[in-house]
C-alpha cells in the first residue's frame, strides 16, 4: 500500500519534470528578440567619441561593445544628421557624423520607429538609441571609412 | 639626398592617389544579403541590410564588406547560436569580406542601359577563413543607377563552420544559399574625399 503511494508520487514528479522541460524548451525556442527600446542604455556618448574610440583601438572597442551571442551593447548616441535615406527593408537610415569627421554612426530605424524620422532634417542635432552591430574602421580595399552601425534605433526625446 | 628620396616618395604616393581619384568608382550603401538554409527538418533564413561595397569601373575590382551581427533571424535563439563561438563567432570576426575582380569587364558598358552577365573571381573571407571563389552575377545599368544581383552557394565546412553532431548537424544545411542585391551609384568626386 505504502509502496503504491510512493510509486504514484514518483510518477507524478517525473511527469511534472518532463512537462517543465518541454515548457522551457518551447519557451527557449520561441523566445522573442530582446526589446532594444525597453532595455536601458549601456552607454551614452557622442558620435565623434565612439568613432574615435574605434579608430584608436578597434580590439578594445569590440571587446567593450560587442557581445559573443550578438546581443551587443545598447547605446545612446548624440550627433548631427548628415543624411537620411531608406534601405531595402523600407527602414529609415540616419547618419550622424561630425562635419570633418572621418566616419560617423549610421542608425537604422524600425517599422515601429520609422515615422519619428519624418520630421527630422539634415544638420539637426539628435539623440538615438539602438544596438551596436559593428564599429568604425578604414578599409583599404574599399578605400573608405566604414561607419559604426547601430540598428533597431529610436529617437530619444532629450526633454524627457 | 635624403630630401630628394623624400620628394620622390611624395611624388609617387601623390600620383597614385591622383590616379585612384580619377577612376570611376561605384559605391553601394543600399544592399540586401539573405542567407538561406534548407533541410528536411526546417528552413532557416536571415537578412542583412547593412553591407557596403564598391565596384571600380576602370579595373573591375569589386569589394563588399558584410557586418556579421546585422543578420537578423526570425527566432532569437537561432540568432544567438549563429553569433556564438561555436558558429560564426561574430565578436571575434565582426565582418566578412569579398575582395575580387570582374574578369569580363569588357562585356559591361556602364554608360549604356542594359543587363550584363559578369564573372567575379576573388577571395572571400568569413569566420577568419579565406577561400578563392568564382561566381556569376548580373549587373543592370539604368541611367545613373547600377544594380548587382547574385546568388552564391557557400559550403560551411570551407570556412571552418562545422557541426559534428546534435541538432545543428541535422537542421542546418551543409551548403548555404546567399542572395545579394546591391544598388550602386557612381560617385562623381574623389572617393576618398567624399567619405572623409
Amino acid at each position: 500500500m505504502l509502496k503504491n503511494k510512493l510509486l504514484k508520487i514518483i510518477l507524478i514528479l517525473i511527469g511534472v519534470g518532463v512537462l517543465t522541460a518541454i515548457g522551457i524548451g518551447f519557451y527557449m525556442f520561441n523566445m522573442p528578440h530582446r526589446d532594444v527600446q525597453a532595455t536601458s542604455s549601456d552607454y551614452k556618448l557622442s558620435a565623434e567619441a565612439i568613432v574615435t574610440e574605434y579608430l584608436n583601438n578597434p580590439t578594445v572597442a569590440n571587446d567593450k561593445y560587442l557581445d559573443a551571442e550578438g546581443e551587443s551593447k545598447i547605446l545612446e548616441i548624440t550627433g548631427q544628421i548628415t543624411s537620411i535615406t531608406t534601405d531595402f527593408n523600407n527602414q529609415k537610415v540616419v547618419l550622424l557624423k561630425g562635419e570633418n569627421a572621418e566616419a560617423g554612426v549610421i542608425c537604422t530605424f524600425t517599422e515601429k520607429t520609422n515615422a519619428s524620422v519624418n520630421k527630422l532634417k539634415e544638420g539637426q542635432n539628435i539623440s538615438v538609441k539602438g544596438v551596436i552591430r559593428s564599429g568604425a574602421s578604414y578599409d583599404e580595399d574599399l578605400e573608405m571609412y566604414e561607419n559604426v552601425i547601430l540598428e533597431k534605433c529610436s529617437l530619444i526625446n532629450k526633454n524627457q | 639626398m635624403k630630401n630628394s628620396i623624400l620628394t620622390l616618395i611624395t611624388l609617387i604616393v601623390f600620383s597614385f592617389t591622383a590616379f585612384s581619384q580619377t577612376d570611376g568608382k561605384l559605391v553601394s550603401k543600399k544592399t540586401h544579403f539573405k542567407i538561406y538554409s534548407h533541410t528536411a527538418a526546417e528552413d532557416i533564413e536571415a537578412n542583412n541590410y547593412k553591407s557596403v561595397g564598391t565596384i571600380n569601373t576602370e579595373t573591375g575590382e569589386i569589394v563588399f564588406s558584410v557586418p556579421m551581427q546585422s543578420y537578423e533571424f526570425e527566432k532569437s535563439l537561432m540568432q544567438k547560436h549563429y553569433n556564438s563561438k561555436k558558429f560564426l563567432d561574430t565578436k571575434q570576426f565582426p565582418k566578412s569580406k569579398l575582395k575580387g575582380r570582374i574578369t569580363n569587364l569588357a562585356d559591361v558598358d556602364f554608360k549604356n542601359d542594359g543587363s550584363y552577365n559578369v564573372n567575379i573571381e576573388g577571395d572571400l573571407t568569413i569566420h577568419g577563413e579565406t577561400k578563392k571563389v568564382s561566381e556569376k552575377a548580373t549587373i543592370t545599368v539604368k541611367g545613373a543607377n547600377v544594380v548587382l544581383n547574385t546568388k552564391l552557394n557557400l559550403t560551411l565546412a570551407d570556412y571552418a563552420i562545422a557541426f559534428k553532431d546534435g541538432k545543428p548537424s541535422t537542421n542546418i544545411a551543409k551548403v548555404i544559399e546567399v542572395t545579394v542585391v546591391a544598388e550602386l551609384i557612381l560617385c562623381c568626386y574623389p572617393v576618398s574625399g567624399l567619405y572623409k
Side-chain angles (χ1 to χ4, degrees), chain A residues 58-148:
Chain A
T59 314
V60 170
N62 271 340
D63 202 47
K64 180 175 169 188
Y65 295 115
L66 296 189
D67 174 68
E69 287 194 324
E71 298 219 317
S72 294
K73 296 295 183 214
I74 294 173
L75 311 179
E76 210 174 297
I77 303 288
T78 304
Q80 195 178 21
I81 303 175
T82 306
S83 72
I84 302 170
T85 51
T86 307
D87 72 9
F88 274 126
N89 199 21
N90 283 320
Q91 300 171 125
K92 293 286 178 193
V93 181
V94 176
L95 175 63
L96 301 179
K97 185 166 169 267
E99 257 169 56
N100 297 311
E102 287 154 321
V105 179
I106 193 143
C107 315
T108 303
F109 285 68
T110 69
E111 206 184 331
K112 276 184 187 166
T113 61
N114 267 341
S116 63
V117 179
N118 293 338
K119 59 177 190 277
L120 300 177
K121 286 191 186 75
E122 283 179 22
Q124 215 177 321
N125 271 296
I126 58 163
S127 290
V128 167
K129 179 178 173 180
V131 55
I132 185 169
R133 303 292 207 188
S134 81
S137 60
Y138 180 76
D139 189 295
E140 53 188 22
D141 296 317
L142 290 168
E143 293 181 309
M144 64 186 196
Y145 282 93
E146 287 186 82
N147 298 310
V148 173

Side-chain angles (χ1 to χ4, degrees), chain A residues 30-80:
Chain A
N30 287 295
M31 194 163 48
H33 283 274
R34 178 174 59 158
D35 185 345
V36 171
Q37 264 69 62
T39 313
S40 59
S41 306
D42 295 300
Y43 296 96
K44 292 181 188 186
L45 67 171
S46 71
E48 283 88 347
I50 189 154
V51 167
T52 308
E53 240 182 282
Y54 261 101
L55 295 183
N56 285 348
N57 199 333
T59 314
V60 170
N62 271 340
D63 202 47
K64 180 175 169 188
Y65 295 115
L66 296 189
D67 174 68
E69 287 194 324
E71 298 219 317
S72 294
K73 296 295 183 214
I74 294 173
L75 311 179
E76 210 174 297
I77 303 288
T78 304
Q80 195 178 21

Side-chain angles (χ1 to χ4, degrees), chain A residues 25 28-34 62-64 66-72 86-89 91 93 97 99-103 106-108 132-147 149-152, chain B residues 20 25 27-32 42 49-50 52-54 56 63-81 83-85 89-91 94-95 97 99 167 181-183 191-192 194-196:
Chain A
M28 290 284 283
F29 187 70
N30 287 295
M31 194 163 48
H33 283 274
R34 178 174 59 158
N62 271 340
D63 202 47
K64 180 175 169 188
L66 296 189
D67 174 68
E69 287 194 324
E71 298 219 317
S72 294
T86 307
D87 72 9
F88 274 126
N89 199 21
Q91 300 171 125
V93 181
K97 185 166 169 267
E99 257 169 56
N100 297 311
E102 287 154 321
I106 193 143
C107 315
T108 303
I132 185 169
R133 303 292 207 188
S134 81
S137 60
Y138 180 76
D139 189 295
E140 53 188 22
D141 296 317
L142 290 168
E143 293 181 309
M144 64 186 196
Y145 282 93
E146 287 186 82
N147 298 310
I149 295 171
L150 214 62
E151 289 193 278
K152 298 180 189 276
Chain B
S20 72
K25 196 147 190 174
V27 176
S28 180
K29 301 218 154 178
K30 190 173 175 179
T31 55
H32 179 197
E42 62 180 326
Y49 298 92
K50 294 313 301 175
V52 292
T54 55
N56 189 320
V63 181
F64 272 91
S65 171
V66 184
M68 297 304 278
Q69 290 204 350
S70 284
Y71 273 106
E72 190 76 12
F73 291 70
E74 192 198 336
K75 299 225 181 298
S76 75
L77 191 67
M78 271 175 202
Q79 193 160 332
K80 281 184 181 179
H81 284 168
N83 281 298
S84 73
K85 274 192 178 144
D89 198 1
T90 58
K91 180 170 178 161
K95 276 174 185 162
K97 192 195 258 183
K99 190 187 171 196
K167 216 177 164 192
V181 183
E183 195 180 280
V191 176
S192 49
L194 182 62
Y195 291 99
K196 264 180 185 170

